[in-house]
């Protein structure tokens, strides 16, 4: 598994689990069939990597992902952080996904139209230094 591919994995896992709970095999199929995994030529995704990713998602995005131990063993997002932090994390994920799409497929720039809105500022970046330290490790 590529080390520099982790944010893409995190974004895909969150996106999949936000739509509905999923078993490991459903998550694995979703990830391996995604354009991002196919473009990176990634052919496997282990349960150990999923467990590591869930722990990192919890640390970075403050999302609590759990596994239903009984029955079908589905993973689900148990709790979301407070609204202000959640909104910031959502914007961060969306920015990453757009940036990744434009880097992976330069032709997308003809089809991506950015919103015209008042800038929210970058002050929060300096306040969230701990987040960037975790991301850069």
């Amino acid at each position: 598994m590529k080390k520099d591919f982790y944010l893409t994995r995190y974004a895909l896992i969150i996106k999949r689990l936000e739509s509905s709970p999923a078993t490991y095999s459903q998550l694995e199929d979703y990830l391996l069939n995604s354009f991002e995994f196919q473009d990176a030529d990634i052919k496997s995704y282990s349960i150990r990597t999923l467990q590591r990713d869930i722990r990192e998602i919890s640390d970075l995005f403050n999302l609590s992902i759990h596994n239903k131990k009984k029955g079908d063993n589905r993973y689900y997002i148990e709790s979301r952080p407070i609204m202000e932090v959640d909104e910031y994390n959502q914007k961060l994920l969306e920015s990453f996904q757009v940036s990744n799409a434009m880097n992976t497929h330069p032709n997308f720039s003809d089809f991506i139209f950015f919103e015209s809105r008042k800038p929210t500022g970058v002050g929060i970046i300096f306040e969230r230094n701990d987040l960037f330290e975790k991301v850069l490790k």
Side-chain angles (χ1 to χ4, degrees):
M1 187 67 56
K2 296 181 177 184
K3 292 284 187 188
D4 61 344
F5 196 66
Y6 63 96
L7 283 176
T8 300
R9 289 195 321 263
Y10 300 168
L12 288 169
I13 290 168
I14 292 169
K15 181 179 175 184
R16 173 59 180 91
L17 293 179
E18 282 180 332
S19 65
S20 67
T23 62
Y24 162 71
S25 60
Q26 290 170 331
L27 278 169
E28 181 186 36
D29 289 344
Y30 177 78
L31 294 171
L32 294 177
N33 291 322
S34 70
F35 291 117
E36 292 87 352
F37 269 62
Q38 290 175 2
D39 286 345
D41 199 34
I42 296 174
K43 306 286 185 204
S44 66
Y45 185 73
S46 71
I47 186 85
R48 180 69 185 115
T49 304
L50 174 62
Q51 292 167 343
R52 202 175 309 121
D53 287 350
I54 287 172
R55 196 169 42 252
E56 288 297 317
I57 288 169
S58 176
D59 291 344
L60 282 174
F61 300 105
N62 202 23
L63 289 175
S64 183
I65 298 174
H66 291 284
N67 182 308
K68 293 181 182 176
K69 299 293 183 195
K70 295 181 181 177
D72 55 7
N73 291 324
R74 287 198 250 174
Y75 291 90
Y76 62 99
I77 297 175
E78 183 177 66
S79 65
R80 298 194 69 90
I82 58 173
M83 191 59 181
E84 181 181 315
V85 173
D86 187 42
E87 186 177 327
Y88 172 74
N89 287 340
Q90 188 65 33
K91 285 180 183 180
L92 182 65
L93 269 175
E94 288 172 359
S95 297
F96 171 74
Q97 289 170 331
V98 169
S99 173
N100 191 38
M102 291 179 71
N103 287 334
T104 305
H105 305 286
N107 296 339
F108 277 8
S109 62
D110 296 336
F111 302 102
I112 295 176
F113 301 97
F114 294 100
E115 299 173 332
S116 67
R117 59 178 171 81
K118 182 180 175 185
T120 56
V122 294
I124 195 161
I125 290 174
F126 301 108
E127 295 170 13
R128 295 297 310 244
N129 196 25
D130 61 318
L131 174 68
F132 287 100
E133 288 176 5
K134 288 180 183 178
V135 169
L136 295 175
K137 285 185 181 179

